Amino acid sequence: MDTIKVAIVGATGATGSSIVNGLLASDSAPYEITALIRPPSMQKPAVAELAKRGVRVVSADLTAPQEELVRLLTGIDVVISAIYIAELKSEMLLADAAKAAGVKRFVPCFFATVIPPKGVTMLRDMKEDVLNHIKKMHLGYTVIDVGWWYQLSVPRLPSGRIDYALTTTNSPIAGEGKVPSCLTDLRDVGKFVAKIIADPRTLNRMVFAYTKLWTQTEVRDLMDRLSGEKCTREYMSPKEIQDAIAECLTDPSKYIALATLQYLNTWGVRGDNTPEVAKYLGYQLASELYPELASQLCSLDEYFQEVLDGKGVQPYGKRLG
């Protein structure tokens, strides 16, 4: 197979790092990777590390005149956006440049749970606006959603010994905690992406890549068994979730809390984040496209044991704190 030239925005972030790792380790296709880095970040250690690993690093301002981005993207086959959520609107500028440069496939920054197109979460609405912009230009695309991360599913233990791995997006239990939702190890996202973007079957399609269905009760029962403790169980009724969402909507500074609560509502109450809903919405399932990947994916049991052994990862660092 010919080398696939990929440009990534957000290559040093949580999702972007997983994608870089997946492409560098891929046996699906040879990849040549370019990381498009914001000018203020060019001197950061994480960027230098990318260069050491063979990634071409270039300075790119998404708000610069289009011809500058077109120049950077000329000759690129696939553009992947793992952009920070506060900068999602800049994706349209990136897509415009990708179209002008002759990019064959644009992967917008979805990489989340399965959600109906409009009216359920603020973030999905913004992402659908970007996708609609892409479609209006007839730019080739692939949407990739990956479920809810293991790293955001770690419950708190009374001893506090795994608090280091918790984030501000670790959710309370929605309702009775019996709604199934697809979970995925963040580190496995790149493995899926490496398969998907080399596959002509996924061009102009949506793909749902996940590892396994779990309820919130099952997740906590698993941690109870592995840890020998009893997880903290904080419940929010569907009404309490809706009331909290309504409160956040009145305060723009609470956009992170709003996004977290809306995600909890969609996968914990509505039950959107399942293979059945994904198929209804028109997704292809990565588990059906690439059954050989199943043996390469980390289980939730394995990840929780890593956390208990002090080897877990807090994917956002202090960014959301």
Side-chain angles (χ1 to χ4, degrees):
M1 179 179 288
D2 293 338
T3 297
I4 300 176
K5 296 181 179 180
V6 180
I8 304 177
V9 172
T12 62
T15 299
S17 295
S18 178
I19 293 170
V20 169
N21 291 339
L23 297 184
L24 289 175
S26 173
D27 58 6
S28 300
Y31 288 106
E32 182 180 303
I33 308 170
T34 297
L36 304 179
I37 304 296
R38 294 184 308 119
S41 300
M42 283 295 289
Q43 303 307 315
K44 290 185 176 181
V47 175
E49 183 61 29
L50 285 177
K52 288 180 183 178
R53 299 177 67 195
V55 175
R56 177 172 172 256
V57 175
V58 299
S59 177
D61 180 358
L62 300 189
T63 63
Q66 187 184 92
E67 54 267 26
E68 293 186 23
L69 281 177
V70 171
R71 176 179 57 80
L72 293 175
L73 296 180
T74 297
I76 295 293
D77 299 306
V78 181
V79 171
I80 300 175
S81 174
I83 200 167
Y84 181 51
I85 58 173
E87 299 166 359
L88 272 176
K89 289 184 178 179
S90 298
E91 271 194 309
M92 293 189 187
L93 300 174
L94 182 65
D96 289 341
K99 177 66 176 180
V103 169
K104 300 170 186 174
R105 187 190 302 238
F106 190 97
V107 181
C109 188
F110 277 61
F111 300 112
T113 59
V114 170
I115 304 172
K118 284 281 189 174
V120 179
T121 75
M122 167 194 67
L123 282 179
R124 185 68 182 216
D125 289 355
M126 294 169 65
K127 294 176 181 184
E128 290 291 336
D129 288 342
V130 173
L131 180 58
N132 189 51
H133 183 74
I134 291 167
K135 289 179 177 179
K136 284 192 294 184
M137 293 188 292
H138 298 171
L139 174 61
Y141 72 90
T142 302
V143 167
I144 303 173
D145 274 317
V146 297
W148 198 244
W149 298 344
Y150 292 172
Q151 287 77 5
L152 302 181
S153 305
V154 180
R156 179 169 277 106
L157 291 177
S159 66
R161 62 177 164 140
I162 60 172
D163 282 359
Y164 77 94
L166 303 180
T167 75
T168 57
T169 56
N170 288 84
S171 303
I173 298 173
E176 297 179 352
K178 296 180 180 179
V179 176
S181 176
C182 290
L183 301 185
T184 303
D185 191 330
L186 168 61
R187 298 169 298 182
D188 287 334
V189 169
K191 297 175 185 176
F192 286 117
V193 172
K195 291 281 189 183
I196 292 166
I197 66 171
D199 189 346
R201 296 174 297 176
T202 62
L203 185 62
N204 301 328
R205 300 293 302 273
M206 300 188 298
V207 183
F208 184 36
Y210 70 95
T211 301
K212 188 177 177 181
L213 276 166
W214 291 83
T215 68
Q216 288 182 287
T217 297
E218 290 170 340
V219 167
R220 282 154 179 78
D221 288 347
L222 173 63
M223 182 59 84
D224 288 349
R225 177 172 61 81
L226 293 175
S227 68
E229 299 184 43
K230 189 73 172 176
C231 291
T232 301
R233 284 166 165 79
E234 175 189 348
Y235 292 85
M236 285 187 78
S237 70
K239 183 180 184 305
E240 288 173 327
I241 294 170
Q242 289 299 331
D243 289 346
I245 289 172
E247 181 180 345
C248 288
L249 286 169
T250 66
D251 185 349
S253 69
K254 294 183 177 179
Y255 73 97
I256 293 294
L258 173 62
T260 302
L261 287 162
Q262 288 183 326
Y263 272 126
L264 180 62
N265 179 58
T266 182
W267 59 255
V269 177
R270 289 174 48 89
D272 291 325
N273 189 40
T274 67
E276 293 77 18
V277 173
K279 279 197 164 185
Y280 167 76
L281 293 173
Y283 285 83
Q284 298 171 297
L285 299 184
S287 58
E288 296 178 353
L289 293 172
Y290 320 111
E292 70 277 8
L293 267 184
S295 63
Q296 303 174 36
L297 304 177
C298 180
S299 71
L300 187 61
D301 306 52
E302 291 169 329
Y303 180 70
F304 276 4
Q305 190 59 57
E306 288 181 32
V307 171
L308 289 166
D309 292 341
K311 300 175 183 177
V313 175
Q314 212 277 42
Y316 291 123
K318 296 181 179 180
R319 192 163 199 174
L320 297 185

